Amino acid sequence: MISKQELWPKEGKLKKGLIILGIVVVTALLITLLEEKTTFKHTKRIPMLIAFLCIGVWLYQPAKKKEETS
């Protein structure tokens, strides 16, 4: 059996790619649901915000944790 730690990468492009894929899928489903259930019509701003969010996730570089030696 594969554990979550083996399946989900700890860092790198694959992890960022999976996060971006999740953001795009969830927002697309939410926009579709809102359009179907209400009279909400998305503007051109929403896809741009999603694109900027994805670019921000891709460019994000967390600070490397320093390993302490005893």
Side-chain angles (χ1 to χ4, degrees):
M1 176 125 323
I2 298 176
S3 69
K4 179 187 171 205
Q5 292 171 345
E6 294 172 350
L7 184 63
W8 185 256
K10 293 187 180 195
E11 60 185 34
K13 291 181 181 179
L14 180 61
K15 182 176 182 177
K16 288 182 181 183
L18 291 173
I19 292 170
I20 290 170
L21 180 65
I23 290 169
V24 170
V25 168
V26 168
T27 53
L29 290 172
L30 284 173
I31 289 171
T32 304
L33 180 68
L34 285 172
E35 285 180 349
E36 292 292 323
K37 297 291 180 183
T38 64
T39 58
F40 172 78
K41 296 292 181 195
H42 74 280
T43 61
K44 292 184 179 185
R45 291 183 194 171
I46 292 176
M48 287 300 288
L49 289 173
I50 295 167
F52 286 132
L53 177 64
C54 291
I55 291 170
V57 168
W58 189 258
L59 296 176
Y60 175 67
Q61 295 290 329
K64 301 284 184 192
K65 294 182 179 178
K66 295 180 181 178
E67 294 182 20
E68 294 181 18
T69 56
S70 313

